[in-house]
Amino acid sequence: MTENKSDAIKLYNSVLKLQTVEECEKFFEDLCTTKELGAMIQRHEVASLLLDKKIYTEIMEKTNASTATISRVKRMLDQGTGCLADVITRE
């Protein structure tokens, strides 16, 4: 997944230190390009809608995600670690 696991751990620890939504927003704006952040936001929204049992056409209309992106997120929800679904359902 990552080239250097210790660098990934440093990043994750930094994320865990974020204290407010505003601080989180600034952190990710500093760290990510607009396109990268937009892609993460879109995938999160797609995952939320899939967990709400929305159909692909509805998800496409709401998020402008391609069927490939929706399928990728669906596959991740079905075969991934389960963490994203757990976090989304806590919201």
Side-chain angles (χ1 to χ4, degrees):
M1 181 174 151
T2 60
E3 291 184 23
N4 187 333
K5 184 75 170 173
S6 66
D7 288 342
I9 298 298
K10 288 177 192 175
L11 171 63
Y12 304 147
N13 280 321
S14 291
V15 170
L16 290 172
K17 293 175 187 173
L18 299 171
Q19 296 179 355
T20 66
V21 171
E22 293 78 18
E23 188 176 37
C24 188
E25 181 179 20
K26 290 176 184 178
F27 177 86
F28 281 101
E29 284 180 5
D30 286 348
L31 186 64
C32 301
T33 66
T34 302
K35 189 172 184 175
E36 291 166 337
L37 187 55
M40 287 192 293
I41 292 167
Q42 183 185 60
R43 288 192 296 268
H44 182 273
E45 182 63 14
V46 167
S48 295
L49 293 168
L50 285 167
L51 290 168
D52 283 343
K53 307 295 185 203
K54 303 299 183 195
I55 60 173
Y56 275 37
T57 53
E58 187 175 353
I59 296 170
M60 290 169 58
E61 289 173 8
K62 182 161 176 43
T63 66
N64 292 318
S66 67
T67 55
T69 296
I70 298 168
S71 295
R72 189 175 326 116
V73 173
K74 174 78 169 117
R75 186 171 46 255
M76 179 272 310
L77 288 172
D78 292 342
Q79 300 171 6
T81 66
C83 185
L84 180 60
D86 290 344
V87 171
I88 288 172
T89 58
R90 288 182 209 161
E91 296 175 354

